[in-house]
Amino acid sequence: QTGGTALSPRQTWVLDSMPGLVEGDAHMAEQTLAALRTLPQPVPSRKWLQEYMAPRGFSDVLINWIGTNLVPQPGSKPGVGPLVWGFSIEGCADMYNSYSSTWSVMFDPLEAPQESLLRAVPTVYGASRMH
């Protein structure tokens, strides 16, 4: 769309990976998603998350980052009580699986491929600020 104003999205997802075929689980994405699926809902606390994930081989940095996605369960007081995910674990897994398994269509297109172009818009973080 050019000109005019566009509605702001409710959510924005950014893949922090270079596009390309994903082989294996070098960054532990699949292992992390599998572990998140085993967690009870709601999660009792971020400390509980640390105690659950660390013995399973996850780094403190990753556990802390994952914990930033926990929000107070509706109806509970912030900082006290159970936490729930601020995103859909299944939705995240679906996007990762799509990302990691459909890249080959670029090299072996279907009979009638549909192509789309995504064009980024200028942001406050211009290229000159990235260096």
PDB file of all heavy atoms in Angstrom, residues 9 12 14 119-130:
ATOM      1  N   PRO A   9      -0.385  -3.095  13.231  1.00  0.00           N
ATOM      2  CA  PRO A   9      -0.683  -4.504  13.532  1.00  0.00           C
ATOM      3  C   PRO A   9      -0.837  -4.708  15.026  1.00  0.00           C
ATOM      4  O   PRO A   9      -0.258  -3.968  15.831  1.00  0.00           O
ATOM      5  CB  PRO A   9       0.552  -5.248  13.005  1.00  0.00           C
ATOM      6  CG  PRO A   9       1.635  -4.231  13.007  1.00  0.00           C
ATOM      7  CD  PRO A   9       0.973  -2.900  12.776  1.00  0.00           C
ATOM      8  N   THR A  12       3.619  -8.042  15.992  1.00  0.00           N
ATOM      9  CA  THR A  12       4.627  -8.102  14.950  1.00  0.00           C
ATOM     10  C   THR A  12       5.616  -9.190  15.332  1.00  0.00           C
ATOM     11  O   THR A  12       6.062  -9.242  16.471  1.00  0.00           O
ATOM     12  CB  THR A  12       5.366  -6.756  14.821  1.00  0.00           C
ATOM     13  OG1 THR A  12       4.416  -5.730  14.537  1.00  0.00           O
ATOM     14  CG2 THR A  12       6.403  -6.816  13.720  1.00  0.00           C
ATOM     15  N   VAL A  14       9.258 -11.015  14.282  1.00  0.00           N
ATOM     16  CA  VAL A  14      10.484 -10.831  13.533  1.00  0.00           C
ATOM     17  C   VAL A  14      11.349 -12.070  13.732  1.00  0.00           C
ATOM     18  O   VAL A  14      11.616 -12.467  14.861  1.00  0.00           O
ATOM     19  CB  VAL A  14      11.252  -9.581  14.033  1.00  0.00           C
ATOM     20  CG1 VAL A  14      12.562  -9.437  13.283  1.00  0.00           C
ATOM     21  CG2 VAL A  14      10.393  -8.334  13.896  1.00  0.00           C
ATOM     22  N   ARG A 119       8.018  -5.259   1.551  1.00  0.00           N
ATOM     23  CA  ARG A 119       8.906  -4.110   1.510  1.00  0.00           C
ATOM     24  C   ARG A 119       8.871  -3.429   2.872  1.00  0.00           C
ATOM     25  O   ARG A 119       7.807  -3.056   3.363  1.00  0.00           O
ATOM     26  CB  ARG A 119       8.466  -3.138   0.433  1.00  0.00           C
ATOM     27  CG  ARG A 119       9.349  -1.950   0.324  1.00  0.00           C
ATOM     28  CD  ARG A 119       8.928  -1.063  -0.821  1.00  0.00           C
ATOM     29  NE  ARG A 119       9.762   0.113  -0.817  1.00  0.00           N
ATOM     30  CZ  ARG A 119       9.384   1.274  -1.294  1.00  0.00           C
ATOM     31  NH1 ARG A 119       8.196   1.409  -1.841  1.00  0.00           N
ATOM     32  NH2 ARG A 119      10.193   2.292  -1.239  1.00  0.00           N
ATOM     33  N   ALA A 120      10.027  -3.261   3.458  1.00  0.00           N
ATOM     34  CA  ALA A 120      10.112  -2.611   4.759  1.00  0.00           C
ATOM     35  C   ALA A 120       9.903  -1.113   4.594  1.00  0.00           C
ATOM     36  O   ALA A 120      10.220  -0.533   3.562  1.00  0.00           O
ATOM     37  CB  ALA A 120      11.475  -2.887   5.383  1.00  0.00           C
ATOM     38  N   VAL A 121       9.344  -0.506   5.617  1.00  0.00           N
ATOM     39  CA  VAL A 121       9.145   0.939   5.614  1.00  0.00           C
ATOM     40  C   VAL A 121      10.222   1.580   6.473  1.00  0.00           C
ATOM     41  O   VAL A 121      10.804   0.932   7.344  1.00  0.00           O
ATOM     42  CB  VAL A 121       7.744   1.308   6.143  1.00  0.00           C
ATOM     43  CG1 VAL A 121       6.670   0.758   5.218  1.00  0.00           C
ATOM     44  CG2 VAL A 121       7.540   0.813   7.550  1.00  0.00           C
ATOM     45  N   PRO A 122      10.515   2.848   6.245  1.00  0.00           N
ATOM     46  CA  PRO A 122      11.527   3.519   7.067  1.00  0.00           C
ATOM     47  C   PRO A 122      11.118   3.503   8.544  1.00  0.00           C
ATOM     48  O   PRO A 122       9.936   3.574   8.874  1.00  0.00           O
ATOM     49  CB  PRO A 122      11.541   4.954   6.532  1.00  0.00           C
ATOM     50  CG  PRO A 122      10.948   4.861   5.162  1.00  0.00           C
ATOM     51  CD  PRO A 122       9.978   3.726   5.210  1.00  0.00           C
ATOM     52  N   THR A 123      12.113   3.390   9.412  1.00  0.00           N
ATOM     53  CA  THR A 123      11.863   3.393  10.852  1.00  0.00           C
ATOM     54  C   THR A 123      12.760   4.426  11.497  1.00  0.00           C
ATOM     55  O   THR A 123      13.598   5.051  10.843  1.00  0.00           O
ATOM     56  CB  THR A 123      12.165   2.024  11.479  1.00  0.00           C
ATOM     57  OG1 THR A 123      13.574   1.797  11.425  1.00  0.00           O
ATOM     58  CG2 THR A 123      11.433   0.895  10.784  1.00  0.00           C
ATOM     59  N   VAL A 124      12.601   4.596  12.791  1.00  0.00           N
ATOM     60  CA  VAL A 124      13.477   5.514  13.524  1.00  0.00           C
ATOM     61  C   VAL A 124      14.897   4.974  13.580  1.00  0.00           C
ATOM     62  O   VAL A 124      15.821   5.691  13.906  1.00  0.00           O
ATOM     63  CB  VAL A 124      12.960   5.790  14.950  1.00  0.00           C
ATOM     64  CG1 VAL A 124      11.637   6.524  14.886  1.00  0.00           C
ATOM     65  CG2 VAL A 124      12.839   4.522  15.746  1.00  0.00           C
ATOM     66  N   TYR A 125      15.071   3.689  13.298  1.00  0.00           N
ATOM     67  CA  TYR A 125      16.388   3.077  13.295  1.00  0.00           C
ATOM     68  C   TYR A 125      16.897   3.010  11.857  1.00  0.00           C
ATOM     69  O   TYR A 125      16.901   1.961  11.235  1.00  0.00           O
ATOM     70  CB  TYR A 125      16.346   1.677  13.921  1.00  0.00           C
ATOM     71  CG  TYR A 125      15.862   1.734  15.345  1.00  0.00           C
ATOM     72  CD1 TYR A 125      14.575   1.338  15.678  1.00  0.00           C
ATOM     73  CD2 TYR A 125      16.690   2.184  16.350  1.00  0.00           C
ATOM     74  CE1 TYR A 125      14.131   1.412  16.982  1.00  0.00           C
ATOM     75  CE2 TYR A 125      16.247   2.271  17.655  1.00  0.00           C
ATOM     76  CZ  TYR A 125      14.970   1.876  17.962  1.00  0.00           C
ATOM     77  OH  TYR A 125      14.543   1.954  19.246  1.00  0.00           O
ATOM     78  N   GLY A 126      17.296   4.115  11.339  1.00  0.00           N
ATOM     79  CA  GLY A 126      17.788   4.168   9.967  1.00  0.00           C
ATOM     80  C   GLY A 126      19.108   3.457   9.830  1.00  0.00           C
ATOM     81  O   GLY A 126      19.780   3.149  10.811  1.00  0.00           O
ATOM     82  N   ALA A 127      19.495   3.203   8.602  1.00  0.00           N
ATOM     83  CA  ALA A 127      20.723   2.452   8.338  1.00  0.00           C
ATOM     84  C   ALA A 127      21.938   3.127   8.967  1.00  0.00           C
ATOM     85  O   ALA A 127      22.852   2.465   9.420  1.00  0.00           O
ATOM     86  CB  ALA A 127      20.919   2.300   6.837  1.00  0.00           C
ATOM     87  N   SER A 128      21.951   4.475   9.010  1.00  0.00           N
ATOM     88  CA  SER A 128      23.106   5.154   9.573  1.00  0.00           C
ATOM     89  C   SER A 128      23.248   4.897  11.073  1.00  0.00           C
ATOM     90  O   SER A 128      24.321   4.982  11.627  1.00  0.00           O
ATOM     91  CB  SER A 128      23.011   6.650   9.316  1.00  0.00           C
ATOM     92  OG  SER A 128      21.873   7.186   9.978  1.00  0.00           O
ATOM     93  N   ARG A 129      22.168   4.539  11.749  1.00  0.00           N
ATOM     94  CA  ARG A 129      22.226   4.274  13.180  1.00  0.00           C
ATOM     95  C   ARG A 129      22.604   2.835  13.481  1.00  0.00           C
ATOM     96  O   ARG A 129      22.829   2.481  14.608  1.00  0.00           O
ATOM     97  CB  ARG A 129      20.877   4.567  13.823  1.00  0.00           C
ATOM     98  CG  ARG A 129      20.505   6.029  13.758  1.00  0.00           C
ATOM     99  CD  ARG A 129      19.243   6.258  14.520  1.00  0.00           C
ATOM    100  NE  ARG A 129      18.784   7.621  14.325  1.00  0.00           N
ATOM    101  CZ  ARG A 129      17.735   8.118  14.890  1.00  0.00           C
ATOM    102  NH1 ARG A 129      17.013   7.378  15.701  1.00  0.00           N
ATOM    103  NH2 ARG A 129      17.379   9.358  14.674  1.00  0.00           N
ATOM    104  N   MET A 130      22.611   1.993  12.485  1.00  0.00           N
ATOM    105  CA  MET A 130      22.873   0.576  12.675  1.00  0.00           C
ATOM    106  C   MET A 130      24.379   0.295  12.790  1.00  0.00           C
ATOM    107  O   MET A 130      24.765  -0.789  13.150  1.00  0.00           O
ATOM    108  CB  MET A 130      22.280  -0.255  11.537  1.00  0.00           C
ATOM    109  CG  MET A 130      20.791  -0.096  11.365  1.00  0.00           C
ATOM    110  SD  MET A 130      19.839  -0.904  12.636  1.00  0.00           S
ATOM    111  CE  MET A 130      19.963  -2.582  12.077  1.00  0.00           C
TER     112      MET A 130
END
